[in-house]
Amino acid sequence: MNLLEPVGIPDTEAVMGWRSDFPILRESVHGKPLVYLDNAATTQKPASVIAAEQAYYEHDNANVHRGVHLLSQRATDAYEGARARIARFIGAAHEKEIVYTRGTTEAINLVAQSYARPRLQPGDEVLITAMEHHSNIVPWQLVCAQTGALLKVTPIDDDGTLDLDVYERLLGPRTRMAAVSHASNALGTVNPLAQMIELAHARGVPVLVDGAQAIAHLPVDVAALDCDFYAFSGHKIYGPTGIGALYAKAALLDAMPPWQGGGDMIRSVTFEKTEYNVIPWRFEAGTPNIAGAIGLGAALDYVSVIGLEVAQRHEADLLAYANAALRAMPNVRIIGMAKQKLGIVSFVMENAHAHDIGTILDQCGVAVRTGHHCAMPVMERYGVPATVRASFALYNTRAEVDALLDGLARVEEVFPL
Ligand SMILES: Cc1ncc(COP(=O)(O)O)c(C=O)c1O
């Protein structure tokens, strides 16, 4: 299905129902109703997620795994139950393939340090793309500096699409790892993952997918994709901050040494020798974010009831609506016009700096992100210091896009051409 095709979009009543699930959407800012269009940075949380965290603290709070008492057992069941829900949500074969992390960034660092570092030799190559978030660049730069490996970068076309011919050529005899975003936070581009993974696997190269942006907007099936690693953050999918997950094929995880040492990741410790726990706990040193995991489980339940396909069509409709209006504005340049896009529109205006636009929009109650979006190489690629980014979630409406457009009209008044 073309992601831009707004077919079978939910009716307004359904969307208004979803909105009412999010208490924060009733807030006002600067005396105006909040129009929250900064969802690529973080999403808002439905009442069910907030309630799940509160219920844990009110009724079950205890440390996991180590206690024989009832509260500890309840906390452990809830924590491990959420892991099973994550596995089901992304189509993992087994819950042992899900490692809790603080988020996408920590998951990628774990793979770079525990999987890649022991395998990389001087002159080996790690292949990323020019549209990566810093979180999928810097961990690879660090491991390259540690091992003498080289970082290679697949370029992007003017419209924000990866150059797959170059990607294929860059998958060379020294490539040991490919790391690619499922979708770009700065451009919205959705990458042809299945094809990219197949090309890499044909050369024996494992693939890590940065799913930070895709997770809340596209159904993910790691088994069908056959990716080796998939990283995502809870807060991007209506869940809490400080919790996320790494999916990794069991055989790969089994062969990886621990990354951090401490409690919970051991089987036995003496001063002479430590035996490590089995996967996934081998990678979860210390008391974990138990409430966060439970909140994430509740968030996945929430979106599962709505259905990501339904939400995706609604967001595609908002994107098409915003795109049409922005394209009609002569002083607006949209950065990233790939055919396959999430509901993210990044743009610059001829007469005003992104930060000024963001400030004026804020005064109108409209929250957007301005800046480099932790993707400075993308800004460099398009020759801009910063963009304004409006990013949609399932609770946004066309009326909110109109509020954005009204705000931009105000920007034009303040900064006339
Ligand atoms: C594409 C992408 N990758 C990685 C990250 C990092 O996610 P986190 O800060 O939750 O670890 C983000 C966050 O914006 C992102 O958009």
Side-chain angles (χ1 to χ4, degrees), residues 348-368:
V348 290
M349 287 175 85
E350 222 173 274
N351 43 337
H353 189 279
H355 292 309
D356 292 326
I357 300 169
T359 306
I360 293 173
L361 289 176
D362 177 54
Q363 291 301 316
C364 303
V366 180
V368 293

Side-chain angles (χ1 to χ4, degrees), residues 268-409:
S268 69
V269 178
T270 67
F271 287 119
E272 290 69 41
K273 186 175 181 334
T274 291
E275 282 185 31
Y276 305 121
N277 207 340
V278 292
I279 64 168
W281 302 288
R282 189 194 302 160
F283 300 100
E284 294 176 6
T287 300
N289 182 353
I290 305 163
I294 291 166
L296 174 54
L300 299 186
D301 287 349
Y302 178 80
V303 290
S304 298
V305 169
I306 290 173
L308 276 185
E309 290 90 349
V310 177
Q312 180 191 329
R313 286 182 198 136
H314 169 57
E315 290 160 14
D317 173 69
L318 296 176
L319 178 68
Y321 185 68
N323 262 341
L326 290 172
R327 275 203 197 122
M329 294 175 69
N331 56 339
V332 168
R333 175 182 160 210
I334 299 177
I335 309 287
M337 292 293 292
K339 286 198 183 67
Q340 302 289 324
K341 272 188 71 168
L342 294 183
I344 288 178
V345 57
S346 237
F347 60 94
V348 290
M349 287 175 85
E350 222 173 274
N351 43 337
H353 189 279
H355 292 309
D356 292 326
I357 300 169
T359 306
I360 293 173
L361 289 176
D362 177 54
Q363 291 301 316
C364 303
V366 180
V368 293
R369 185 125 307 228
T370 60
H372 54 62
H373 317 296
C374 292
M376 288 175 96
V378 173
M379 300 299 112
E380 202 181 324
R381 165 68 180 77
Y382 292 95
V384 292
T387 73
V388 180
R389 182 187 68 189
S391 50
F392 306 122
L394 55 81
Y395 41 66
N396 290 126
T397 62
R398 282 189 177 209
E400 290 185 305
V401 177
D402 290 338
L404 167 71
L405 298 169
D406 289 347
L408 294 181

